[in-house]
Amino acid sequence: MSSRDPAFAPGTFTWIAGIEDTCVYPPERFAMAPLDEHRLTGHDDTWRADLDQVRDLGATALRYGVDWPRAHVAPGVFDWSVLDERLPYAAALGLTVIADLVHYGTPTWLDEAFADPGYPDAVADFAAAFAARYAGVVDHVTPLNEPITTASFAGLRGVWPPALHGWEGWTRVVLGIADGIQRSVTAMRAENPDVRIVHVEASSLFSAGTPSDPALVAEAALLNELGTVPTDLVLGRVTPGHRSYDWLLRNGAAPEALAALVEGAVTIDLLGVNYYPDLTPRTLVATAAGTVQHTHDRWASGLEESLRSFSDRYGLPVLVTETSTEGDDERRGSWARDSVKAVRAVVADGIDVRGWTWWPVFDFVDWSYASGGRNVEEFELADDVVAARSASAAKEPYLRRMGLIRLEEDVDGALRRVPTGAAAVYAAMAWGVAAGHERGSRLTR
């Protein structure tokens, strides 16, 4: 661990905030607009005030995207101008930055995105350059956010580049991602020995809507198991005895590619777990058109299950790297309190949880905005929601009310920041712990 930054040390607990940073710039042939949350939410214009707000909430750490598609303008060519302003500013505020290197998008010059043969080397080059430039300013790095979600959108369902479909597309993207993470970790550690790797993955909680249907039960079991495959690949665990090894071979993985990932295995320092009470748990329902996923709210029980499952499988210190819920102030405030209570419960049972993140600090623009309102999620959305978005040129119908800070659209399209009651709940918890204990102390009450 870096002597410069004691964040996330054993026996400590850190209050973290995250600014939504999805950054997908498609090559021209793709039928979607850029999906750049820093631009869509106005953060590019208000970043100083936004970072100040994070500090004022009581957070001492920040998950923050570095917009790889914007910063890596050509092979070996980087534009650090934006990050040279923002990252030192955040550090000067006393925020430990967890840099999000890849958040769903690649530079447009990687024509096949995550499936491009040049992807692993390209992302490793960027990671090495980033680690060298910002050593001592940013020593915590997430090589790629949510491999399982990236594989779904980019490899299974054809939503984002390279827009592959089916399980063979999923496998191709996952293998590229795992190779890229391994090479990035190795490259960053060579440039900055103090770097700490925060590997972030989404929780997978699938169940069969009809428990007596063996096909649905088997499909739910497969999806839950596949949720662990990207991390297992990065850690070099997918050997011929692994439960998913033969499945990967049947879906296009070459034995030599899997062997190379075992040979290239890396370690990670902190395991980030993402969970949303009303989005993560999914029930599979059989329809005439095929299996459909329905979200259902498991509230804090799902978070506890996810934390226990990740901890049991990997035996690593854990951070809650994303959680929030959509709804009014009361609901969001209740989730802040109840999710922290759930963290306390698993900590009391001996699970090493060292931080908790509300993500996002600000409301964000729904991903369907870049696709003209078309639903891009794995699960179904109400027809009236899709219709309202598709018919509007404004951002308001697309704004997801999940932030501590509400975004309000003015007539000129600018988005004002309006603190909510949930922000007050977060601040009371974060500053309350700080008032009673040294900042970063173990969460005990």
Side-chain angles (χ1 to χ4, degrees), residues 347-372:
V347 167
D349 288 343
I351 294 176
D352 188 4
V353 184
R354 300 187 187 179
W356 172 90
T357 310
W358 187 278
W359 179 289
V361 173
F362 311 99
D363 293 341
F364 70 99
V365 177
D366 189 81
W367 293 341
S368 63
Y369 186 85
S371 300

Side-chain angles (χ1 to χ4, degrees), residues 23-66:
C23 189
V24 181
Y25 278 81
E28 291 183 1
R29 70 179 186 279
F30 284 89
M32 67 171 285
L35 181 57
D36 183 341
E37 290 288 345
H38 281 178
R39 288 183 173 169
L40 288 173
T41 60
H43 177 68
D44 280 345
D45 301 317
T46 62
W47 64 268
R48 286 184 180 83
D50 290 348
L51 295 179
D52 290 345
Q53 181 68 74
V54 169
R55 184 264 325 270
D56 293 345
L57 284 168
T60 57
L62 170 70
R63 287 194 67 208
Y64 194 76
V66 302

Side-chain angles (χ1 to χ4, degrees), residues 267-317:
T267 59
I268 57 181
D269 299 296
L270 295 158
L271 180 60
V273 176
N274 294 352
Y275 171 84
Y276 297 90
D278 49 349
L279 295 175
T280 299
R282 308 279 176 88
T283 300
L284 304 185
V285 177
T287 71
T291 304
V292 174
Q293 296 181 17
H294 291 289
T295 59
H296 67 281
D297 195 336
R298 288 189 53 190
W299 207 242
S301 68
L303 176 59
E304 290 194 34
E305 179 180 335
S306 294
L307 292 172
R308 296 179 195 278
S309 177
F310 275 99
S311 179
D312 289 347
R313 188 177 184 95
Y314 297 109
L316 291 165

Side-chain angles (χ1 to χ4, degrees), residues 46-370:
T46 62
W47 64 268
R48 286 184 180 83
D50 290 348
L51 295 179
D52 290 345
Q53 181 68 74
V54 169
R55 184 264 325 270
D56 293 345
L57 284 168
T60 57
L62 170 70
R63 287 194 67 208
Y64 194 76
V66 302
D67 295 336
W68 183 34
R70 292 163 55 175
H72 201 166
V73 296
V77 181
F78 309 102
D79 179 359
W80 303 114
S81 57
V82 169
L83 298 177
D84 280 351
E85 284 190 311
R86 298 184 190 179
L87 297 179
Y89 187 87
L93 292 174
L95 297 171
T96 296
V97 174
I98 306 171
D100 218 357
L101 288 192
V102 184
H103 205 108
Y104 305 136
T106 66
T108 56
W109 49 266
L110 281 171
D111 193 59
E112 296 181 73
F114 299 104
D116 196 287
Y119 166 75
D121 284 337
V123 73
D125 288 347
F126 178 70
F130 180 91
R133 188 174 188 89
Y134 297 109
V137 176
V138 178
D139 291 331
H140 293 79
V141 180
T142 296
L144 183 141
N145 177 70
E146 292 190 341
I148 194 68
T149 306
T150 306
S152 173
F153 277 74
L156 179 65
R157 299 182 297 110
V159 177
W160 295 334
L164 304 181
H165 290 82
W167 288 117
E168 289 193 2
W170 186 93
T171 299
R172 186 177 172 190
V173 167
V174 163
L175 293 182
I177 284 172
D179 189 8
I181 291 174
Q182 288 184 345
R183 297 193 197 197
S184 294
V185 170
T186 300
M188 285 189 288
R189 285 182 169 147
E191 296 292 340
N192 177 10
D194 286 327
V195 75
R196 301 190 74 200
I197 305 304
V198 184
H199 177 76
V200 174
E201 185 57 285
S203 302
S204 295
L205 293 176
F206 293 91
S207 60
T210 308
S212 61
D213 185 334
L216 280 182
V217 171
E219 187 172 356
L222 172 65
L223 293 174
N224 286 325
E225 175 62 25
L226 292 182
T228 67
V229 165
T231 303
D232 284 1
L233 288 167
V234 169
L235 298 177
R237 293 186 173 192
V238 183
T239 62
H242 189 278
R243 283 183 293 178
S244 297
Y245 184 86
D246 290 339
W247 184 93
L248 289 167
L249 293 181
R250 291 195 300 272
N251 285 282
E256 55 269 27
L258 296 178
L261 290 170
V262 173
E263 180 68 23
V266 295
T267 59
I268 57 181
D269 299 296
L270 295 158
L271 180 60
V273 176
N274 294 352
Y275 171 84
Y276 297 90
D278 49 349
L279 295 175
T280 299
R282 308 279 176 88
T283 300
L284 304 185
V285 177
T287 71
T291 304
V292 174
Q293 296 181 17
H294 291 289
T295 59
H296 67 281
D297 195 336
R298 288 189 53 190
W299 207 242
S301 68
L303 176 59
E304 290 194 34
E305 179 180 335
S306 294
L307 292 172
R308 296 179 195 278
S309 177
F310 275 99
S311 179
D312 289 347
R313 188 177 184 95
Y314 297 109
L316 291 165
V318 175
L319 303 175
V320 178
T321 39
E322 289 184 24
T323 197
S324 67
T325 189
E326 195 160 14
D328 60 21
D329 286 13
E330 181 178 358
R331 177 178 171 84
R332 279 178 281 176
S334 294
W335 176 243
R337 287 185 289 264
D338 289 352
S339 60
V340 170
K341 183 179 179 180
V343 170
R344 288 193 179 103
V346 299
V347 167
D349 288 343
I351 294 176
D352 188 4
V353 184
R354 300 187 187 179
W356 172 90
T357 310
W358 187 278
W359 179 289
V361 173
F362 311 99
D363 293 341
F364 70 99
V365 177
D366 189 81
W367 293 341
S368 63
Y369 186 85

